[in-house]
Amino acid sequence: MEKRFEEIDHTADVAIRVWGSDVAELFANAAYGMTCQLADPDNVRPSIEREIAAQGEDLEMVLVEWLSELLYLEERDGLLFTEFDIHEVTSRGVEALARGGPVETYQGHIKAVTFSELEITETDRGFETTIVFDV
């Protein structure tokens, strides 16, 4: 499987650099990268599906709201998601189907998704960004 993200050093929080061939893949890989900070994705059986939508004023805000909604479902329902079908993503919103399930063992905790260092850029290979999580 092609690498979707990489962990990068950050002083006090957790940060990942994420990329995708298009914005939809970037959003899916960002969500997968966040899940990997919380638990081993191999320990999550994708038996539950949830339709998820998030809105924002620009693409960066939509990304933060998307990840925050997934984080909320983890906190509220104990669900982690590992598979993502992005139906539509625009500079004002995202609609997607997420598949995941409960997890028994966590390896980390995330309090919030931040805007620190967040800028989605287009490269010759697609799109990339850095996401910092408040832990």
Side-chain angles (χ1 to χ4, degrees):
M1 172 181 277
E2 186 176 323
K3 195 171 176 184
R4 305 177 192 187
F5 72 95
E6 66 183 350
E7 295 176 18
I8 55 177
D9 288 334
H10 195 274
T11 309
D13 294 316
V14 171
I16 59 174
R17 182 173 296 113
V18 183
W19 51 87
S21 60
D22 56 26
V23 175
E25 185 176 65
L26 178 79
F27 273 54
N29 291 347
Y32 183 81
M34 182 176 75
T35 293
C36 291
Q37 304 313 302
L38 296 167
D40 182 346
D42 291 336
N43 293 332
V44 178
R45 197 173 111 247
S47 57
I48 297 171
E49 293 184 343
R50 294 280 172 91
E51 288 287 341
I52 299 174
Q55 291 79 38
E57 297 295 317
D58 58 28
L59 200 53
E60 284 81 6
M61 184 179 282
V62 172
L63 179 59
V64 168
E65 292 299 325
W66 155 249
L67 296 174
S68 296
E69 181 64 21
L70 293 168
L71 190 59
Y72 170 74
L73 292 172
E74 182 272 323
E75 288 283 328
R76 186 187 75 183
D77 301 334
L79 299 175
L80 284 179
F81 297 93
T82 57
E83 298 175 6
F84 309 93
D85 293 331
I86 308 295
H87 303 314
E88 180 180 29
V89 61
T90 69
S91 62
R92 297 293 184 173
V94 60
E95 294 180 7
L97 175 69
R99 288 182 205 82
V103 65
E104 292 181 22
T105 306
Y106 285 86
Q107 63 192 26
H109 177 75
I110 294 174
K111 292 187 226 174
V113 183
T114 75
F115 286 95
S116 176
E117 302 178 38
L118 183 64
E119 180 182 2
I120 297 172
T121 58
E122 190 168 4
T123 69
D124 58 345
R125 297 181 309 168
F127 293 84
E128 70 176 48
T129 192
T130 298
I131 304 166
V132 178
F133 302 105
D134 179 15
V135 295

